[in-house]
Amino acid sequence: MHEEKSGFNKLGLTISILFIFLYIFVFSGVLYPELSVQPLWRIPLDAYETKNEYSIYSETVPAGLLSFHTPKYFGYFSKGGKLFLLGLNDSKAAVSDRAFVLKRPHEKENSHELYRSDGSPVQSFSADNTFFYGDLLFSAEAGGCGLASYDEFGHKLWSYLFPSQISAFGAVSDLAVAGTVDGYLEGVGKEGKEVFTFAPGGSRLEIILGLGLSSSGKYIATVSGIDKQRLVIMKKGGVDYKVSSHMYLDSDYREPVRVIVMEDDKHVLYRRNDGIGLMSVDGKVNKVLPVLADDFSESMDKKRNISYILVKNGIQARIAAFRLPSTLLGNINLPDSCDYVHIEGQRVYFVKDDYIAAFEFTEE
């Protein structure tokens, strides 16, 4: 156990929350009258000292811990604004809400240590390049052509070799899908066996630039090809996937393209030159949200039918709120160079330099 520095007190907390309030309302974009913002709390990370690889600051483990991961720090905090665990990210940790992995540079090659979110060690295991996709643990292998899956105890479940390098990826509990540089989608089941393979095609140069997999595993969306690009949405039917809808695009990206199957399992978001495209999985709805984005992520408040899109352009980040299918409610600017942003329901958590902060969207 380690204590906070003595300089942090109630006055500091009040000033911190006031700072968030001023930033959001003075420097932010515009929200419609029915949607407003309520600042919640701020955690100054420089008020905590870390020893060894990480330190724990509570005798009890709060329910519903959230993880964060930046170039400088990794750790866990509660939704109520209490820091639980903080570590320095010298070892390039892989982190999820349930567990984290630290590489052992002074031990044998490829040795890693798996820990639960409460800081308790699970076991050492061997892997090449570990990463979490949600709460699922994987390792990239064979120079980017291979993939290995691990369970919650660090035991290898399976490994799989794709015909060429992976260029896009998505996973749910019983399915991992990779897009490759030679233009194929290939699905791998929970036993490490091929489930399906499909080539969207339709372009001079075939490559999978973006891939989105719904949380149910029912839909796969992909942007493929160069000269000219194609959006393909596939629906699961039995054990295979069949094309549900598709569209040729005006874009001609030579870089990864964000594609997301939204949480409602009914719509797909994809990057466009003129904004963010929104298409229903059956192709009947085709809209463009007037929000330019180099990259983005999405979270839905299902109770209010509002979707929040985290928009990134270089060091700039903002959150655009819209009501389905395409009514823009406004946007909120975040501080430049936010290292981490997480949206859950109507609440937003972000890390900027040496602090974690939270605010909440509310309806009038």
Side-chain angles (χ1 to χ4, degrees), residues 26 29 52 67 82 91 101 105 111 122 130 139 151 164 177 184 195 201 234 297 302 308 325 332 351:
V26 176
N52 301 319
S67 62
K82 299 295 184 181
S91 61
V101 175
S111 179
V122 179
T130 59
S139 175
D151 68 12
S164 60
V177 181
Y184 280 88
V195 176
M234 302 171 64
S297 59
K302 295 181 180 179
Y308 299 105
I332 289 290
V351 180

mmCIF file of all heavy atoms in Angstrom, residues 26 29 52 67 82 91 101 105 111 122 130 139 151 164 177 184 195 201 234 297 302 308 325 332 351:
data_model
loop_
_atom_site.group_PDB
_atom_site.id
_atom_site.type_symbol
_atom_site.label_atom_id
_atom_site.label_comp_id
_atom_site.label_asym_id
_atom_site.label_seq_id
_atom_site.Cartn_x
_atom_site.Cartn_y
_atom_site.Cartn_z
ATOM 1 N N VAL A 26 -16.027 26.194 -22.178
ATOM 2 C CA VAL A 26 -15.436 27.355 -22.830
ATOM 3 C C VAL A 26 -14.800 26.991 -24.159
ATOM 4 O O VAL A 26 -14.889 27.712 -25.133
ATOM 5 C CB VAL A 26 -14.388 28.027 -21.912
ATOM 6 C CG1 VAL A 26 -13.698 29.176 -22.637
ATOM 7 C CG2 VAL A 26 -15.059 28.547 -20.645
ATOM 8 N N GLY A 29 -17.125 22.272 -28.524
ATOM 9 C CA GLY A 29 -18.002 22.578 -29.639
ATOM 10 C C GLY A 29 -19.394 22.899 -29.140
ATOM 11 O O GLY A 29 -19.577 23.382 -28.022
ATOM 12 N N ASN A 52 8.506 -0.632 -7.978
ATOM 13 C CA ASN A 52 8.628 -1.849 -8.779
ATOM 14 C C ASN A 52 7.835 -1.675 -10.079
ATOM 15 O O ASN A 52 7.883 -0.615 -10.695
ATOM 16 C CB ASN A 52 8.173 -3.075 -7.986
ATOM 17 C CG ASN A 52 8.990 -3.260 -6.714
ATOM 18 O OD1 ASN A 52 10.203 -3.077 -6.730
ATOM 19 N ND2 ASN A 52 8.319 -3.595 -5.626
ATOM 20 N N SER A 67 -9.746 -0.310 -17.101
ATOM 21 C CA SER A 67 -8.312 -0.241 -17.365
ATOM 22 C C SER A 67 -7.986 0.973 -18.219
ATOM 23 O O SER A 67 -8.841 1.513 -18.927
ATOM 24 C CB SER A 67 -7.854 -1.506 -18.106
ATOM 25 O OG SER A 67 -8.511 -1.607 -19.358
ATOM 26 N N LYS A 82 -11.706 6.571 -8.178
ATOM 27 C CA LYS A 82 -10.642 6.140 -7.275
ATOM 28 C C LYS A 82 -9.603 5.332 -8.043
ATOM 29 O O LYS A 82 -9.947 4.362 -8.729
ATOM 30 C CB LYS A 82 -11.209 5.291 -6.132
ATOM 31 C CG LYS A 82 -12.214 6.011 -5.251
ATOM 32 C CD LYS A 82 -11.578 7.156 -4.488
ATOM 33 C CE LYS A 82 -12.586 7.812 -3.538
ATOM 34 N NZ LYS A 82 -11.987 8.958 -2.808
ATOM 35 N N SER A 91 7.570 -1.586 -19.830
ATOM 36 C CA SER A 91 7.630 -2.918 -20.435
ATOM 37 C C SER A 91 6.628 -3.095 -21.569
ATOM 38 O O SER A 91 6.459 -4.194 -22.064
ATOM 39 C CB SER A 91 7.372 -3.983 -19.367
ATOM 40 O OG SER A 91 6.083 -3.797 -18.810
ATOM 41 N N VAL A 101 -0.668 -8.012 -18.982
ATOM 42 C CA VAL A 101 0.493 -8.845 -19.263
ATOM 43 C C VAL A 101 1.735 -7.966 -19.304
ATOM 44 O O VAL A 101 1.745 -6.920 -19.962
ATOM 45 C CB VAL A 101 0.344 -9.582 -20.612
ATOM 46 C CG1 VAL A 101 1.624 -10.364 -20.945
ATOM 47 C CG2 VAL A 101 -0.851 -10.524 -20.584
ATOM 48 N N PRO A 105 11.870 -8.870 -19.689
ATOM 49 C CA PRO A 105 13.031 -8.655 -20.560
ATOM 50 C C PRO A 105 14.309 -9.313 -20.068
ATOM 51 O O PRO A 105 15.208 -9.569 -20.860
ATOM 52 C CB PRO A 105 13.173 -7.123 -20.579
ATOM 53 C CG PRO A 105 12.554 -6.673 -19.294
ATOM 54 C CD PRO A 105 11.428 -7.635 -19.021
ATOM 55 N N SER A 111 9.240 -14.506 -22.689
ATOM 56 C CA SER A 111 8.593 -14.825 -21.417
ATOM 57 C C SER A 111 7.715 -13.661 -20.964
ATOM 58 O O SER A 111 8.142 -12.503 -20.960
ATOM 59 C CB SER A 111 9.650 -15.116 -20.348
ATOM 60 O OG SER A 111 9.036 -15.396 -19.099
ATOM 61 N N VAL A 122 -0.996 -14.585 -12.210
ATOM 62 C CA VAL A 122 -1.652 -15.820 -12.640
ATOM 63 C C VAL A 122 -0.600 -16.858 -12.984
ATOM 64 O O VAL A 122 -0.495 -17.887 -12.345
ATOM 65 C CB VAL A 122 -2.587 -15.573 -13.840
ATOM 66 C CG1 VAL A 122 -3.238 -16.881 -14.292
ATOM 67 C CG2 VAL A 122 -3.655 -14.548 -13.482
ATOM 68 N N THR A 130 2.162 -10.156 -27.463
ATOM 69 C CA THR A 130 0.837 -10.267 -26.871
ATOM 70 C C THR A 130 0.023 -8.990 -27.066
ATOM 71 O O THR A 130 0.565 -7.883 -27.088
ATOM 72 C CB THR A 130 0.924 -10.577 -25.374
ATOM 73 O OG1 THR A 130 1.654 -9.535 -24.716
ATOM 74 C CG2 THR A 130 1.601 -11.911 -25.132
ATOM 75 N N SER A 139 -1.627 -13.420 -29.406
ATOM 76 C CA SER A 139 -0.245 -13.084 -29.718
ATOM 77 C C SER A 139 -0.073 -13.120 -31.227
ATOM 78 O O SER A 139 -0.522 -14.062 -31.888
ATOM 79 C CB SER A 139 0.720 -14.072 -29.055
ATOM 80 O OG SER A 139 2.062 -13.801 -29.464
ATOM 81 N N ASP A 151 -6.150 -18.542 -23.077
ATOM 82 C CA ASP A 151 -7.284 -18.422 -22.167
ATOM 83 C C ASP A 151 -6.932 -17.482 -21.021
ATOM 84 O O ASP A 151 -5.849 -16.883 -20.980
ATOM 85 C CB ASP A 151 -7.747 -19.794 -21.672
ATOM 86 C CG ASP A 151 -6.734 -20.487 -20.758
ATOM 87 O OD1 ASP A 151 -5.756 -19.837 -20.311
ATOM 88 O OD2 ASP A 151 -6.912 -21.690 -20.490
ATOM 89 N N SER A 164 -0.939 -15.060 -45.756
ATOM 90 C CA SER A 164 -0.115 -13.861 -45.898
ATOM 91 C C SER A 164 -0.302 -12.987 -44.657
ATOM 92 O O SER A 164 -1.042 -13.349 -43.740
ATOM 93 C CB SER A 164 -0.480 -13.095 -47.172
ATOM 94 O OG SER A 164 -1.843 -12.700 -47.128
ATOM 95 N N VAL A 177 -11.432 -13.220 -36.771
ATOM 96 C CA VAL A 177 -11.451 -12.980 -38.211
ATOM 97 C C VAL A 177 -10.287 -12.077 -38.577
ATOM 98 O O VAL A 177 -10.089 -11.023 -37.960
ATOM 99 C CB VAL A 177 -12.772 -12.329 -38.660
ATOM 100 C CG1 VAL A 177 -12.772 -12.119 -40.173
ATOM 101 C CG2 VAL A 177 -13.964 -13.177 -38.242
ATOM 102 N N TYR A 184 -7.978 -11.517 -48.616
ATOM 103 C CA TYR A 184 -8.876 -12.558 -48.112
ATOM 104 C C TYR A 184 -9.348 -12.242 -46.693
ATOM 105 O O TYR A 184 -8.610 -11.655 -45.883
ATOM 106 C CB TYR A 184 -8.182 -13.915 -48.107
ATOM 107 C CG TYR A 184 -8.144 -14.582 -49.466
ATOM 108 C CD1 TYR A 184 -7.107 -14.318 -50.351
ATOM 109 C CD2 TYR A 184 -9.159 -15.451 -49.871
ATOM 110 C CE1 TYR A 184 -7.076 -14.911 -51.608
ATOM 111 C CE2 TYR A 184 -9.134 -16.051 -51.117
ATOM 112 C CZ TYR A 184 -8.094 -15.779 -51.982
ATOM 113 O OH TYR A 184 -8.062 -16.367 -53.228
ATOM 114 N N VAL A 195 -13.027 -21.604 -40.207
ATOM 115 C CA VAL A 195 -14.486 -21.595 -40.253
ATOM 116 C C VAL A 195 -14.979 -21.169 -41.629
ATOM 117 O O VAL A 195 -15.926 -21.733 -42.173
ATOM 118 C CB VAL A 195 -15.047 -20.660 -39.164
ATOM 119 C CG1 VAL A 195 -16.575 -20.556 -39.269
ATOM 120 C CG2 VAL A 195 -14.647 -21.155 -37.781
ATOM 121 N N GLY A 201 -12.865 -8.960 -53.189
ATOM 122 C CA GLY A 201 -12.513 -8.639 -54.570
ATOM 123 C C GLY A 201 -13.045 -7.294 -55.019
ATOM 124 O O GLY A 201 -13.349 -6.400 -54.232
ATOM 125 N N MET A 234 -21.314 -8.674 -44.454
ATOM 126 C CA MET A 234 -21.644 -10.099 -44.528
ATOM 127 C C MET A 234 -22.455 -10.506 -43.305
ATOM 128 O O MET A 234 -22.222 -10.019 -42.201
ATOM 129 C CB MET A 234 -20.360 -10.923 -44.621
ATOM 130 C CG MET A 234 -19.484 -10.554 -45.809
ATOM 131 S SD MET A 234 -17.863 -11.358 -45.738
ATOM 132 C CE MET A 234 -18.363 -13.083 -45.876
ATOM 133 N N SER A 297 -13.995 5.732 -33.007
ATOM 134 C CA SER A 297 -14.591 4.592 -32.320
ATOM 135 C C SER A 297 -16.000 4.997 -31.909
ATOM 136 O O SER A 297 -16.350 6.177 -31.946
ATOM 137 C CB SER A 297 -13.755 4.164 -31.109
ATOM 138 O OG SER A 297 -13.630 5.227 -30.183
ATOM 139 N N LYS A 302 -27.930 2.818 -25.362
ATOM 140 C CA LYS A 302 -29.116 2.176 -25.929
ATOM 141 C C LYS A 302 -30.409 2.682 -25.294
ATOM 142 O O LYS A 302 -31.457 2.682 -25.935
ATOM 143 C CB LYS A 302 -28.998 0.655 -25.784
ATOM 144 C CG LYS A 302 -27.860 0.062 -26.599
ATOM 145 C CD LYS A 302 -27.798 -1.458 -26.448
ATOM 146 C CE LYS A 302 -26.660 -2.033 -27.265
ATOM 147 N NZ LYS A 302 -26.555 -3.503 -27.125
ATOM 148 N N TYR A 308 -22.339 7.852 -29.413
ATOM 149 C CA TYR A 308 -21.235 8.782 -29.227
ATOM 150 C C TYR A 308 -20.043 8.281 -30.031
ATOM 151 O O TYR A 308 -19.589 7.153 -29.851
ATOM 152 C CB TYR A 308 -20.862 8.890 -27.748
ATOM 153 C CG TYR A 308 -21.993 9.403 -26.879
ATOM 154 C CD1 TYR A 308 -22.713 8.536 -26.050
ATOM 155 C CD2 TYR A 308 -22.352 10.743 -26.897
ATOM 156 C CE1 TYR A 308 -23.755 8.999 -25.266
ATOM 157 C CE2 TYR A 308 -23.396 11.214 -26.114
ATOM 158 C CZ TYR A 308 -24.088 10.345 -25.299
ATOM 159 O OH TYR A 308 -25.120 10.810 -24.531
ATOM 160 N N PRO A 325 -31.080 7.592 -37.144
ATOM 161 C CA PRO A 325 -29.897 7.124 -37.856
ATOM 162 C C PRO A 325 -28.814 8.177 -38.084
ATOM 163 O O PRO A 325 -27.646 7.833 -38.208
ATOM 164 C CB PRO A 325 -30.475 6.650 -39.193
ATOM 165 C CG PRO A 325 -31.655 7.541 -39.409
ATOM 166 C CD PRO A 325 -32.234 7.771 -38.044
ATOM 167 N N ILE A 332 -18.301 17.667 -28.487
ATOM 168 C CA ILE A 332 -17.500 18.161 -27.369
ATOM 169 C C ILE A 332 -16.029 17.939 -27.702
ATOM 170 O O ILE A 332 -15.627 16.827 -28.045
ATOM 171 C CB ILE A 332 -17.844 17.413 -26.061
ATOM 172 C CG1 ILE A 332 -19.224 17.829 -25.563
ATOM 173 C CG2 ILE A 332 -16.806 17.671 -24.985
ATOM 174 C CD1 ILE A 332 -19.305 19.239 -25.041
ATOM 175 N N VAL A 351 -7.656 10.167 -20.392
ATOM 176 C CA VAL A 351 -6.360 10.406 -19.752
ATOM 177 C C VAL A 351 -5.610 11.437 -20.574
ATOM 178 O O VAL A 351 -5.465 11.294 -21.794
ATOM 179 C CB VAL A 351 -5.526 9.114 -19.662
ATOM 180 C CG1 VAL A 351 -4.184 9.408 -18.979
ATOM 181 C CG2 VAL A 351 -6.273 8.042 -18.892
#
